[in-house]
């Protein structure tokens, strides 16, 4: 989608540090990490937010979670990790392309702040 930051990252128009890629999914390191390991995992196809998930596009979300399991193995995150999705204004979403934060390598605590 035109003028979408993460679509531009997928297209290679904006640089990123890739940690994983397949036909449907792209993952890269967060530019402002909130944990020692912090990747952003996205479907290559533009979906605005979790509020837009439907039976038409949920296979892309399944692909994201399959990718997350592979990244966790590749990155040796056997001690655990957290997956976070911020949705909409009050959910703290700042980029309008659905994305899942994959956070690891510190004790993340619960409940989150
Ligand atoms: P959210 O606040 O859930 O929408 O998350 C957006 C995330 O994207 C934030 O953690 C930002 O640090 C990250 N981010 C923004 N721009 C870039 C970029 N160019 N490369 C990597 N991560 C980015
Ligand atoms: Zn997009």
């Amino acid at each position: 989608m035109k003028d979408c930051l993460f679509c531009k990252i997928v297209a290679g128009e904006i640089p990123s540090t890739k940690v994983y890629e397949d036909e449907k999914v792209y993952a890269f390191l967060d530019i402002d990490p909130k944990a020692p390991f912090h990747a952003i995992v996205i479907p290559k196809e533009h979906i605005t937010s979790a509020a837009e998930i439907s039976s038409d596009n949920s296979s892309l979300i399944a692909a994201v979670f399959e990718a997350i399991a592979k990244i966790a193995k590749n990155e040796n995150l056997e001690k655990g990790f957290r997956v976070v999705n911020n949705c909409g204004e009050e959910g703290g979403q700042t980029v309008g392309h659905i994305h899942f934060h994959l956070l690891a390598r510190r004790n993340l605590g619960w409940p989150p702040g």
Side-chain angles (χ1 to χ4, degrees):
M1 178 180 271
K2 203 170 160 286
D3 293 332
C4 169
L5 175 65
F6 288 172
C7 282
K8 287 181 179 169
I9 284 179
V10 169
E13 293 166 14
I14 291 174
S16 65
T17 303
K18 177 167 82 171
V19 296
Y20 177 85
E21 182 173 16
D22 65 30
E23 189 191 336
K24 294 178 182 167
V25 178
Y26 189 73
F28 53 100
L29 295 181
D30 196 293
I31 205 167
D32 180 18
K34 313 300 188 292
F37 181 83
H38 185 174
I40 298 284
V41 190
I42 63 174
K44 290 181 172 177
E45 190 175 303
H46 184 92
I47 299 171
T48 302
S49 79
E52 306 300 323
I53 297 170
S54 71
S55 55
D56 291 337
N57 59 25
S58 58
S59 63
L60 300 175
I61 306 305
V64 163
F65 277 82
E66 288 177 35
I68 286 170
K70 289 178 188 166
I71 296 165
K73 285 189 183 74
N74 293 344
E75 300 289 338
N76 301 310
L77 305 182
E78 64 281 338
K79 287 176 90 176
F81 56 84
R82 180 166 296 162
V83 180
V84 173
N85 170 256
N86 297 326
C87 178
E89 190 183 341
E90 290 195 352
Q93 183 176 4
T94 61
V95 178
H97 181 131
I98 193 169
H99 52 280
F100 296 84
H101 299 260
L102 175 56
L103 301 148
R105 296 204 186 115
R106 72 170 167 86
N107 196 327
L108 291 155
W110 189 262

